[in-house]
Amino acid sequence: MEPLASDDAPVVGAYRLLRRLDRGGMGRVYLGRSAGGRTVAVKVVHPQFAVDERFRARFAREVAAARLVGGSGAFTAPVLDADPEAELPWVATGYVAGPDLRRAVGEVGPLPVRTVRALGAGLAEALVAVHGHGLVHRDVKPSNVLLAVDGPRLIDFGIARAVDAAGELTATGVSLGSPAYMSPEQVLGAEAGDSGAVGPATDVFSLGAVLAYAAAGRPPFPGESLTQLLYQVVHQAPSLAGIPQELRPLVAAMLAKEPAARPSPGEVARALAGDGGAAPLVRAGWLPPEVVEGIGRRAVELLDLDLDVAPPPDGGAAGPVPAPVSAPAAASSPAAVPPGFGPAIPLPVPAPALPPAPPAAPTVAPRPRRGLRAALAAALVLGLAGAGVYAFTRPDTDGAADAGDPVVEESPREPVAQELPEEFLGEWQGDLTLDIGIPGGRMTLTLEGGAVGEETGYASTKDVLGISTCVDRMTLTSVSGNEAVFDALLDTEQSTRGTCVTEEFRMVLRLDGEGQVLRYTSVHPDSGAQGVLNRPG
C-alpha cells in the first residue's frame, strides 16, 4: 500500500480513500472505507477511457452483470457499488485481505500441489459462475487472482470487455491485458479486429496458463519480446517444465490451441477436486505458511492504518494523526470519526455497559496484557481464533455503533436471574468471523449450567488450519431475558502455548430462533468477535 498522491481524490462516491493499492491497464485501485466502516477496493478508470461513450455504456452493462456474478460465485469478490456516469467511472468491490498470485509466487516461489489444486478448483468454479451469467472474463491472470485464507478470489470479471469496447489497442494491435496469459483466439482476434472470436474457452486457456505459473513459478510461454511471446502463444507448444507430473495432463489440455479441445471450467474443477468441489480443499488449509503469515501482516497493517491516518477534514486529504487517542477519547470525541465515515478497525473503545456482577462473584487476578497489535499479529499469522481479537466495534461520533456492526445491546432492565437457563445448556458449534474479512476459526461451546459467579462452561476454538486450539473458561456474571453474560479467561493448560490471548474478556450469548440459534459476541477492551452457533446434528 502506498500513501495517496496529491492528484488522488480523498473521496470517491460514498467511499473515503485511504491508500493506493495498485495501478493497472484500466485504472488505479485504492483501499477505501464505506460510511458503515466496510473495507473496500475502489478502482477508478483512466481518463482516456472516461471520454469514450462506448466505454461508459459497456462499463455500465458489465458492472451490472458482474454484480450478479459476485452474488452467486463462491470464489469471486462481490461488486458493491459503481458509477459509470461519474467524471471518472469507478467500481467498488469487497476487499480481500490477501496477496495476488503474482506477488505470492514472486515472494515464496512455486506453490505446493495441494495449493495449486485448491486454487484451480476455486477459480474454475468462479468461471462457471461468470459464464453462467453470459460473461467472458477475458483477463484471467495472476494479478487478477487474490489469495485469501478461505480460498482464492477471481476479480475484475467482465471489466476487460468494457476496456476492449473503447477500442484501445497497443502499438502492435494487441488488446489491453497480459499477453503471457492470452489465448490464441484472443491474440488473432485482436489483430484482425474480431472481438467475437473470444468465448468461455478463452478463460480456460488463461486459467491453464495461471496454474502453470503457480505450479512452476513462470508462465508457459516465456518469450523474450512481445512479438516472440505472441508467436509462441499462437503457434508453439507450452513449456511445462517445473509443473508436477500429476498436474501436467490437465494443464496441457487447458492450453490446447483449439478452443473446442479444451475442457470446460466444470470439468477442470472436477479433475482437481472431485465431485466435492473446491470447498473441502480450502477447509483443509490450502495456503503455504509463508503466505498465511503475509496475510496476518497485512491485517495488522489495516490496524496501523486506522491508528495512523486521520479522517479527511471537510473533504480534505487524509493525513497523520497528531497523537494517539485514548479509549475514552475515541468514544466521546467527535474528532475520532468523521461525520459519515466509520473506520472498519477503529480506535479502541471501552466495552459497552452491561449489568454489574453481584458482589458475591469471584474476582480474577489480573494477568499480564500483551498489546492488541502483538496479540492480533500472533493470532492472524497462525490463522487462529483466540477469543477477544476478531470483530471490532466501531464508535460513531456520538459513541453509538454504526448500523450493521456487531454490537452488544443493553437488555431491558429485568430482574437478574441467578441460574443459567436450561435453554442455554449443551453443546453449540459455529464459525467465527474477523471483521476485516478473514475467517476466525471454528468454535465449540459447552455450557454445563450453574449460578452467577460460578464457572458454567468453556469455549474451545480451533484455528482455520486446524493446528492450534484456544480454550476459554466461562464464569457467569448475569442473565437477563434471552441474554447471558460471562467473564472468559484462557485455560493455559488446555490451550496451544503462545498463540492465544491471555487476558480476561467479556462474552455475551443471545438465544435466537426459538432457542435453536445462539448468537455469540465477545467484548474486549480493544476488540471482540462474533459468530452464529447451532446445536450439532
Side-chain angles (χ1 to χ4, degrees):
M1 292 187 290
E2 299 177 358
L4 297 180
S6 58
D7 59 339
D8 291 323
V11 175
V12 170
Y15 305 95
R16 175 162 58 96
L17 303 186
L18 303 177
R19 288 288 191 272
R20 280 190 182 187
L21 292 176
D22 198 7
R23 178 184 176 92
M26 175 186 162
R28 292 176 177 173
V29 186
Y30 300 91
L31 180 74
R33 292 270 198 265
S34 72
R38 182 168 187 172
T39 305
V40 299
V42 182
K43 176 167 284 190
V44 181
V45 305
H46 290 312
Q48 63 264 33
F49 297 132
V51 298
D52 192 310
E53 292 302 321
R54 292 176 301 168
F55 169 82
R56 288 181 177 271
R58 189 60 171 271
F59 181 79
R61 291 196 298 270
E62 297 297 335
V63 165
R67 286 179 187 268
L68 299 176
V69 176
S72 60
F75 296 102
T76 57
V79 173
L80 305 175
D81 199 0
D83 187 358
E85 302 300 324
E87 182 178 357
L88 294 179
W90 56 270
V91 57
T93 63
Y95 176 71
V96 179
D100 64 53
L101 179 62
R102 177 187 59 184
R103 176 180 173 184
V105 172
E107 291 178 351
V108 307
L111 302 179
V113 171
R114 63 179 177 82
T115 300
V116 177
R117 282 187 173 277
L119 173 72
L123 295 179
E125 290 182 12
L127 287 179
V128 170
V130 171
H131 299 162
H133 288 286
L135 288 171
V136 179
H137 191 292
R138 300 167 67 95
D139 201 18
V140 178
K141 58 186 179 182
S143 61
N144 276 340
V145 175
L146 303 181
L147 308 182
V149 173
D150 60 341
R153 298 290 191 277
L154 181 62
I155 63 173
D156 277 3
F157 36 86
I159 305 305
R161 295 183 65 182
V163 175
D164 285 349
E168 189 71 18
L169 304 177
T170 67
T172 61
V174 179
S175 61
L176 290 171
S178 292
Y181 302 93
M182 294 172 67
S183 68
E185 64 269 21
Q186 205 169 2
V187 175
L188 296 173
E191 292 176 344
D194 179 16
S195 61
V198 173
T202 291
D203 289 341
V204 174
F205 186 96
S206 299
L207 178 57
V210 166
L211 296 185
Y213 174 77
R218 60 186 181 84
F221 300 103
E224 296 181 359
S225 67
L226 179 61
T227 301
Q228 182 185 14
L229 190 155
L230 295 178
Y231 180 85
Q232 288 193 35
V233 169
V234 176
H235 300 291
Q236 298 291 324
S239 172
L240 302 181
I243 301 176
Q245 187 60 44
E246 62 188 277
L247 298 174
R248 285 191 187 185
L250 177 63
V251 172
M254 297 171 71
L255 294 175
K257 302 299 183 186
E258 291 297 325
R262 300 168 200 154
S264 69
E267 291 170 335
V268 172
R270 286 189 293 274
L272 292 169
D275 293 334
L281 298 183
V282 171
R283 281 199 298 268
W286 74 291
L287 289 175
E290 306 94 317
V291 177
V292 177
E293 290 174 6
I295 294 174
R297 288 192 298 271
R298 176 168 286 207
V300 174
E301 287 179 10
L302 292 178
L303 269 179
D304 289 332
L305 185 62
D306 275 304
L307 294 173
D308 296 340
V309 176
D314 300 325
V321 174
V325 181
S326 64
S332 60
S333 171
V337 180
F341 291 104
I345 305 176
L347 302 175
V349 296
L354 293 166
T363 58
V364 180
R367 301 229 178 164
R369 289 177 54 97
R370 296 188 294 173
L372 170 63
R373 192 165 289 101
L376 181 61
L380 291 180
V381 164
L382 294 174
L384 294 178
V389 192
Y390 300 105
F392 295 81
T393 57
R394 308 183 184 104
D396 204 344
T397 53
D398 59 358
D402 289 331
D405 293 341
V407 295
V408 180
E409 300 174 357
E410 292 191 34
S411 302
R413 295 187 178 275
E414 300 178 5
V416 177
Q418 294 298 309
E419 296 283 341
L420 184 64
E422 184 177 351
E423 291 82 2
F424 284 86
L425 304 186
E427 183 175 299
W428 303 81
Q429 293 180 351
D431 295 322
L432 300 184
T433 302
L434 283 68
D435 192 48
I436 53 177
I438 301 176
R442 186 160 185 83
M443 170 178 282
T444 298
L445 183 69
T446 303
L447 297 173
E448 300 167 341
V452 168
E454 298 177 350
E455 184 177 300
T456 55
Y458 61 93
S460 176
T461 307
K462 270 199 171 297
D463 72 319
V464 293
L465 302 180
I467 299 173
S468 301
T469 302
C470 297
V471 177
D472 296 292
R473 296 288 174 179
M474 302 163 57
T475 299
L476 183 65
T477 62
S478 67
V479 177
S480 180
N482 64 345
E483 182 179 280
V485 181
F486 306 81
D487 285 335
L489 189 64
L490 185 71
D491 185 333
T492 56
E493 294 184 0
Q494 302 294 324
S495 302
T496 304
R497 182 172 298 180
T499 61
C500 305
V501 175
T502 59
E503 59 263 31
E504 185 181 17
F505 64 95
R506 180 65 54 86
M507 183 187 296
V508 180
L509 302 178
R510 185 188 298 270
L511 282 170
D512 198 1
E514 297 182 353
Q516 298 305 307
V517 174
L518 196 62
R519 298 193 178 275
Y520 168 94
T521 306
S522 67
V523 181
H524 183 275
D526 296 317
S527 63
Q530 61 175 332
V532 176
L533 310 180
N534 297 276
R535 298 190 185 276

